[in-house]
């Protein structure tokens, strides 16, 4: 029975891997003309204008980095704080509530976060922080961080609990308090797992579409502050329509998708590298 189940899992995994590889080849094929005709340099500009036949994707790329990194920083602060509190807090009812709340946050559709932010974050920021700010990098990053908190938090908490079972009895017999045990042993050994969680959250932030599409403003201009609008690669793909298969704008969209897929591959490979280094040590 176990052999049959293992073979089924192997088949499913193989099919999934082949499909992903086929998608990668398809995107590379659709972008091949850009590399072959030495036109790739024109797509790394900052101007996207169909009238001028300029299709630079540098600004959406920069927008993706800014929003993803800012949301990752915000989410890390909250995720680490919540998980540390759960680990150190002695009241099980509060810990249960916080942990289940993170699970609930992970199940909420992204469009719900974006829709709720339109009526909460946007008016709050425009009234109390910056009157000229409506849809902006800050709004998109704050909302996107809500999506990343359970992604990082649940992985943080799982690593804390796993390491606690491994070291708890030994450390408590040495007379260490729970706080000393957490800061001197748990955090030190949890760093590789936490880095993997951060990288996984970064991959999710880079690939999100709906939140940034609805809240970032989608402006194709260089942002001067977090109160300005920006556009990401994912929202750029959703907003640009090209019906001509051979047009440069059509190929530029697939170049955006190719960059997104490559970035996620790099992030996943980074996780595998960290895990391998951890087990070797």
């Amino acid at each position: 029975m176990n052999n049959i189940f293992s073979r089924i899992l192997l088949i499913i995994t193989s099919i999934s891997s082949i499909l992903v590889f086929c998608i990668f080849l398809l995107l590379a094929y659709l972008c091949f003309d850009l590399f072959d005709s030495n036109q790739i340099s024109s797509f790394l500009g900052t101007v996207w204008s169909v009238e001028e036949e300029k299709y630079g994707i540098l600004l959406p790329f920069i927008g993706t980095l800014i929003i993803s990194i800012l949301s990752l920083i915000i989410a890390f602060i909250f995720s680490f704080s919540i998980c540390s509190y759960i680990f150190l807090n002695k009241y099980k009812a509060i810990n249960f509530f916080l942990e289940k709340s993170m699970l609930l946050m992970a199940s909420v559709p992204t469009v719900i976060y974006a829709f709720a932010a339109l009526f909460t974050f946007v008016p709050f920021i425009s009234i109390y922080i910056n009157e000229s700010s409506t849809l902006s990098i800050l709004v998109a990053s704050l909302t996107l961080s809500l999506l990343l908190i359970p992604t990082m938090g649940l992985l943080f908490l799982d690593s804390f609990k796993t390491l606690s079972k491994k070291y708890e009895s030994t450390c408590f017999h040495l007379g260490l308090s729970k706080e000393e045990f957490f800061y001197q042993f748990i955090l030190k050994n949890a760093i590789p797992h936490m880095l993997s969680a951060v990288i996984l959250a970064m991959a999710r932030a880079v690939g999100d579409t709906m939140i940034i599409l609805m809240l970032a403003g989608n402006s194709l201009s260089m942002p001067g502050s977090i109160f300005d609008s920006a556009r990401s690669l994912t929202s750029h793909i959703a907003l640009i329509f090209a019906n001509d298969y051979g047009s440069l704008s059509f190929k530029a969209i697939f170049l955006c998708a190719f960059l997104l897929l490559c970035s996620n591959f790099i992030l996943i490979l980074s996780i595998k590298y960290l895990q391998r280094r951890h087990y070797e040590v």
Side-chain angles (χ1 to χ4, degrees):
M1 186 67 182
N2 290 333
N3 291 333
I4 296 175
F5 184 69
S6 299
R7 289 179 181 178
I8 293 174
L9 288 179
L10 178 62
I11 293 171
I12 294 174
T13 304
S14 300
I15 293 173
S16 301
S17 301
I18 292 171
L19 288 175
V20 173
F21 184 68
C22 289
I23 293 173
F24 182 83
L25 289 179
L26 175 64
L27 295 177
Y29 171 76
L30 292 170
C31 298
F32 182 76
D33 290 342
L34 303 180
F35 296 96
D36 186 54
S37 58
N38 296 321
Q39 293 179 348
I40 190 66
S41 59
S42 64
F43 291 90
L44 300 179
T46 59
V47 178
W48 180 281
S49 175
V50 178
E51 293 78 12
E52 300 177 15
E53 295 186 352
K54 294 181 178 180
Y55 305 100
I57 61 172
L58 184 60
L59 288 178
F61 181 76
I62 294 174
T64 299
L65 288 180
I66 294 173
I67 295 173
S68 300
I69 293 174
L70 182 59
S71 62
L72 191 70
I73 293 172
I74 297 171
F76 177 83
I77 294 172
F78 280 94
S79 299
F80 181 74
S81 301
I82 293 170
C83 294
S84 300
Y85 181 81
I86 291 175
F87 186 84
L88 295 172
N89 184 41
K90 62 180 180 180
Y91 299 106
K92 294 183 178 180
I94 297 177
N95 296 342
F96 178 83
F97 173 77
L98 292 174
E99 189 171 351
K100 297 306 177 183
S101 296
M102 284 197 294
L103 285 171
L104 179 62
M105 289 175 66
S107 64
V108 176
T110 56
V111 67
I112 301 299
Y113 282 122
F115 188 71
L118 285 173
F119 299 97
T120 52
F121 291 157
V122 173
F124 179 85
I125 292 173
S126 62
I127 293 173
Y128 297 104
I129 300 178
N130 191 320
E131 294 182 358
S132 61
S133 177
T134 52
L135 302 180
S136 63
I137 292 173
L138 179 60
V139 175
S141 298
L142 285 172
T143 310
L144 188 58
S145 67
L146 296 176
L147 191 68
L148 305 183
I149 286 174
T151 301
M152 282 194 287
L154 293 173
L155 293 174
F156 286 176
L157 195 59
D158 180 67
S159 65
F160 292 170
K161 289 181 178 180
T162 302
L163 292 169
S164 177
K165 293 178 182 178
K166 185 176 181 181
Y167 294 106
E168 187 174 19
S169 59
T170 302
C171 291
F172 286 172
H173 279 93
L174 293 174
L176 296 178
S177 65
K178 194 168 186 178
E179 289 76 13
E180 292 173 331
F181 169 57
F182 178 71
Y183 290 111
Q184 294 182 20
F185 288 90
I186 297 298
L187 287 184
K188 181 180 178 180
N189 291 278
I191 289 177
H193 303 283
M194 294 175 66
L195 286 175
S196 297
V198 170
I199 295 173
L200 184 63
M202 183 67 180
R204 188 171 188 185
V206 169
D208 181 77
T209 303
M210 188 56 66
I211 290 176
I212 302 177
L213 181 65
M214 294 178 64
L215 300 175
N218 301 309
S219 173
L220 276 174
S221 59
M222 183 66 72
S225 70
I226 58 175
F227 300 106
D228 293 336
S229 298
R231 181 181 294 190
S232 69
L233 288 172
T234 52
S235 59
H236 188 63
I237 293 172
L239 289 169
I240 301 299
F241 298 95
N243 297 320
D244 185 4
Y245 178 83
S247 66
L248 291 178
S249 59
F250 180 86
K251 295 174 182 177
I253 295 304
F254 281 93
L255 180 59
C256 293
F258 183 75
L259 289 175
L260 284 170
L261 189 58
C262 288
S263 65
N264 280 330
F265 276 160
I266 292 172
L267 291 172
I268 297 302
L269 288 175
S270 300
I271 294 176
K272 295 297 182 182
Y273 175 76
L274 287 172
Q275 291 176 343
R276 188 179 67 179
R277 284 290 303 272
H278 174 68
Y279 288 122
E280 287 178 354
V281 174

